Amino acid sequence: IKALNPKPAGDFDHLVVQTAIPDVLMKRLPSHQGGGWRVELNSDTLPRVLVNQEYYTQVSKSASQKKDREYLSTQLQNANWLVRAMDQRAQTILKVAAEIVEQQDAFFNYGIEFLAPLKLSDIAKVIEMHESTVSRVTTNKYIGTPRGIFELKYFFTAAIPSLGGGELHSAETVRHKIKILIGEEALPNVLSDDKIVDLLRAQGIDIARRTIAKYRESMGIQSSVERRRQLKAAI
């Protein structure tokens, strides 16, 4: 009895997983409204900051000294500036999200294999803002879509060239292809990184073995040796 743990539940992880709340929402418009997508801010996540003009008027009436009136005027200007700044930031998030939806239309219609390579500078150029602004408003900001909730940063992926200089492939799409190939393998045909290179090149994707290894490790997928050992143990 002394060897038993008096608090057995203490071994369990007590971290609470917080579900991401989308800052932007998108939904498909019906055909009679022209089709396409509607992108709008999630009103539940917007900060509700208003300036109480009535209170300012009431307080300013009792300000008899010039310095008091100047102080109240300055604070009112600061409050109004904050409200305008927050509104401008919200509109910037909406503008960036709308352009991302425009650029990644094929992904939302057909799935991850159609995710297009995209850079921050691509969006910044179209909406005529600085690249750093786009980076800032897409960090820790989420969009709710028919395909799930995604961080806006998810849609910015590196480009993988095609053999023969054709259409570019998104790095995220290539990761997805690697995951599918490995998920379908069975003994004795466990795929080495070199074999995955050959299979992807057969699909027109020009990729190096070290890139395969990097993507595989980023997804928490073990080497072919470890996967073969696990498959044998499961028999």
Side-chain angles (χ1 to χ4, degrees):
I1 293 176
K2 288 183 179 180
L4 298 177
N5 183 359
K7 298 179 180 179
D11 295 333
F12 293 96
D13 193 348
H14 296 288
L15 292 177
V16 178
V17 178
Q18 178 64 48
T19 303
I21 301 176
D23 303 274
V24 183
L25 301 171
M26 64 173 288
K27 62 180 180 180
R28 188 182 298 277
L29 291 173
S31 57
H32 69 271
Q33 293 184 10
W37 304 100
R38 171 180 290 169
V39 182
E40 58 190 13
L41 294 169
N42 184 359
S43 59
D44 292 337
T45 64
L46 293 175
R48 292 174 172 82
V49 180
L50 298 173
V51 178
N52 192 330
Q53 295 286 350
E54 184 179 348
Y55 179 74
Y56 167 76
T57 302
Q58 182 180 350
V59 173
S60 61
K61 286 180 180 179
S62 61
S64 57
Q65 298 185 26
K66 181 180 179 181
K67 64 177 183 178
D68 294 335
R69 292 193 298 272
E70 290 177 348
Y71 172 80
L72 291 172
S73 177
T74 300
Q75 299 310 309
L76 178 63
Q77 291 176 13
N78 290 339
N80 286 329
W81 176 87
L82 176 61
V83 171
R84 289 194 301 270
M86 295 178 69
D87 179 68
Q88 183 179 7
R89 183 170 181 269
Q91 294 305 316
T92 300
I93 294 173
L94 181 61
K95 185 181 295 186
V96 170
E99 185 57 34
I100 289 175
V101 171
E102 180 76 19
Q103 298 278 353
Q104 299 290 6
D105 179 68
F107 164 78
F108 294 114
N109 280 310
Y110 307 112
I112 191 170
E113 292 191 0
F114 293 86
L115 187 67
L118 187 64
K119 297 183 293 184
L120 292 169
S121 57
D122 296 332
I123 299 295
K125 183 178 180 181
V126 174
I127 65 175
E128 298 181 343
M129 288 186 177
H130 197 274
E131 184 176 333
S132 62
T133 301
V134 177
S135 177
R136 187 166 57 253
V137 301
T138 53
T139 301
N140 296 323
K141 292 292 180 289
Y142 295 84
I143 180 171
T145 79
R147 293 192 175 274
I149 298 176
F150 299 90
E151 185 179 9
L152 291 177
K153 276 283 196 296
Y154 172 83
F155 299 102
F156 297 98
T157 64
I160 305 296
S162 295
L163 293 173
E167 182 180 355
L168 298 176
H169 302 271
S170 163
E172 195 64 34
T173 299
V174 174
R175 286 190 184 93
H176 179 69
K177 290 180 180 292
I178 294 171
K179 187 175 182 179
I180 290 177
L181 289 172
I182 292 176
E184 294 175 345
E185 65 187 6
L187 289 174
N189 300 317
V190 176
L191 303 175
S192 66
D193 290 346
D194 287 322
K195 181 60 177 177
I196 294 175
V197 168
D198 294 338
L199 292 172
L200 290 180
R201 286 185 173 177
Q203 299 180 33
I205 301 173
D206 187 10
I207 192 167
R209 180 187 179 280
R210 63 179 179 274
T211 305
I212 295 291
K214 181 178 71 173
Y215 287 177
R216 174 175 54 73
E217 292 170 0
S218 71
M219 293 185 290
I221 299 175
Q222 295 177 319
S223 67
S224 59
V225 175
E226 291 295 329
R227 300 199 307 277
R228 183 177 290 108
R229 184 181 295 119
Q230 290 178 354
L231 289 173
K232 288 182 178 179
I235 297 176

